[in-house]
Amino acid sequence: MKDGKHITMGIESSCDETAIAVLADGREILSNVISSQIEIHKEYGGVVPEIASRHHLNNIPFVFDNALKEAGVSLSEIDEIGVTAGPGLAGALLMGTAFAKAVAFAAGIPLVGVHHIQSHILANTIEHPELEPPFLALVVSGGHTHLIEVLGYNEFKVLGATRDDAVGEAYDKVARVIGLGYPGGPKVDRLAKEGNPHAVEFKRVYLEKDSLDFSFSGTKTGVINYLHSAEQRGETVKPADIAASFQQAVIEVIVSKSMTALDRTGYEGLAVCGGVACNSALRAAMAEALSERGKKLWIPSPILCTDNGAMVAAAAFRKAREGHYASGRLDVFPGLNIETQLGKLEE
Ligand code: KG4
Ligand code: ZN
């Protein structure tokens, strides 16, 4: 298949998806195999780290074989293997990195350690060839909520981050209290379509004037308290109204802070990414706010928003082009900082 193309494999196992993809020239998706553990963790109401690691271990060889088969490439045609080395669950990260190191060593393929948030951001470069640093990115996922200046493919400046819950985490908790189960984000999204977003005015938390940090735990607690009081008073609540009102509150804050960051930095648009970027109300609100300002919106297709191997390959491709390879001693870093990742991943 090679045809003079540069082939990158990306391996992701930081949370509950075992995912491996093969990309040509950093953009063309030859395969993107994702084995989700949602059904397994569902009965516990969230991801159980120990169980996640065990399933990664069992699934990786099968996902790897399928990724190669679907791509129609052989191992000897791969130019580099990228693997998520952090942040994430330590045991889960270890499964992906141990596998990647073994394959890279056995087949003599260069190895690249990838930062999970960097890969979410660079997922945008797969479908949007015109997007090049510097640009502004909003990361909204289960573990992270960040406004980041992407100064180069490997250079990041965090402008704001959540001080408590990540937005996806708040979605998942709210879903649980209104009885929707795990994973909550997509279920809240669906149910909210039938509800009134102004039925309950939940708290919007903006923190200090000028702050680009986020805080969602107050809004989440507001939902829990509202439900408890209604229960005590014997009132019935409409779950769709709660879902829509919660969503409205967090989206207003996210959009407002993103616009402040954009006004302050002056970039021509915003690249949105992470699992919560699948959310239909957020996508619509962001598109509207940006078009009012004459700014651009870059956002991946939903399959590239949630955890996947293609985004890891896209980031590994960029890292390799700038010479940022890992050694065979690549470690895992559950709390890896995006601004200082390079030194750690190249030791
Ligand atoms: O990026 P991701 O797959 O994993 C992390 O890096 O955390 O994000 C997963 C998060 C979960 O919290 C999930 O509930 C949320 O993304 N999510 C959504 C939607 N689809 C996934 N949240 C809101 N609306 C959605 N449609
Ligand atoms: Zn993620």
Side-chain angles (χ1 to χ4, degrees), residues 9-315:
M9 173 175 272
I11 302 181
E12 157 62 34
S13 73
S14 66
C15 191
D16 60 343
E17 331 279 357
T18 316
I20 303 187
V22 179
L23 236 58
D25 294 334
R27 288 219 165 88
E28 190 190 340
I29 299 179
L30 302 181
S31 67
N32 190 20
V33 180
I34 304 169
S35 165
S36 172
Q37 302 179 12
I38 284 175
E39 288 306 316
I40 297 152
H41 296 283
K42 216 174 181 172
E43 72 178 276
Y44 306 99
V47 179
V48 183
E50 174 65 32
I51 296 177
S53 308
R54 210 176 308 157
H55 280 89
H56 285 309
L57 180 64
N58 290 337
N59 292 346
I60 285 185
F62 164 79
V63 173
F64 172 76
D65 283 346
N66 277 350
L68 281 179
K69 216 175 289 162
E70 265 181 39
V73 302
S74 64
L75 204 47
S76 61
E77 292 174 310
I78 292 178
D79 292 289
E80 66 265 327
I81 297 180
V83 62
T84 311
L89 302 170
L93 290 164
L94 268 171
M95 296 304 145
T97 52
F99 185 83
K101 285 196 280 189
V103 174
F105 178 74
I109 302 169
L111 182 67
V112 180
V114 172
H115 190 286
H116 187 65
I117 299 308
Q118 176 180 21
S119 63
H120 269 303
I121 294 172
L122 296 185
N124 268 300
T125 63
I126 297 174
E127 294 170 317
H128 305 297
E130 76 285 7
L131 179 65
E132 283 177 10
F135 61 87
L136 181 70
L138 167 74
V139 186
V140 278
S141 75
H144 308 272
T145 310
H146 279 98
L147 274 163
I148 296 181
E149 237 182 305
V150 183
L151 300 168
Y153 289 109
N154 287 295
E155 197 186 343
F156 303 90
K157 186 174 164 207
V158 176
L159 303 181
T162 183
R163 293 192 190 164
D164 40 58
D165 292 2
V167 63
E169 204 180 341
Y171 262 92
D172 293 338
K173 284 183 189 160
V174 164
R176 206 177 308 158
V177 294
I178 56 178
L180 297 178
Y182 173 84
K187 292 184 177 168
V188 171
D189 188 358
R190 226 170 295 131
L191 185 63
K193 291 192 169 81
E194 298 156 27
N196 172 7
H198 299 289
V200 189
E201 292 299 305
F202 290 121
K203 194 154 75 181
R204 276 82 167 144
V205 183
Y206 286 93
L207 301 168
E208 307 81 35
K209 190 174 171 293
D210 296 338
S211 174
L212 291 176
D213 282 348
F214 296 93
S215 168
F216 298 108
S217 86
T219 311
K220 173 200 71 186
T221 310
V223 174
I224 296 170
N225 292 343
Y226 181 87
L227 291 173
H228 282 163
S229 319
E231 196 183 351
Q232 272 164 4
R233 289 197 298 266
E235 292 169 9
T236 49
V237 295
K238 205 173 147 206
D241 283 349
I242 304 296
S245 300
F246 160 75
Q247 218 178 236
Q248 179 69 23
V250 295
I251 290 173
E252 269 180 31
V253 175
I254 294 170
V255 170
S256 158
K257 295 218 176 222
S258 301
M259 295 310 120
T260 304
L262 206 50
D263 292 344
R264 227 178 262 173
T265 54
Y267 288 116
E268 61 165 337
L270 181 71
V272 182
C273 63
V276 183
C278 291
N279 186 267
S280 54
L282 177 64
R283 290 173 92 98
M286 217 37 117
E288 193 186 330
L290 288 164
S291 95
E292 268 171 16
R293 279 174 164 71
K295 299 279 185 180
K296 290 183 183 155
L297 170 64
W298 298 282
I299 194 162
S301 301
I303 191 68
L304 297 176
C305 287
T306 44
D307 291 348
N308 64 86
M311 68 184 194
V312 181

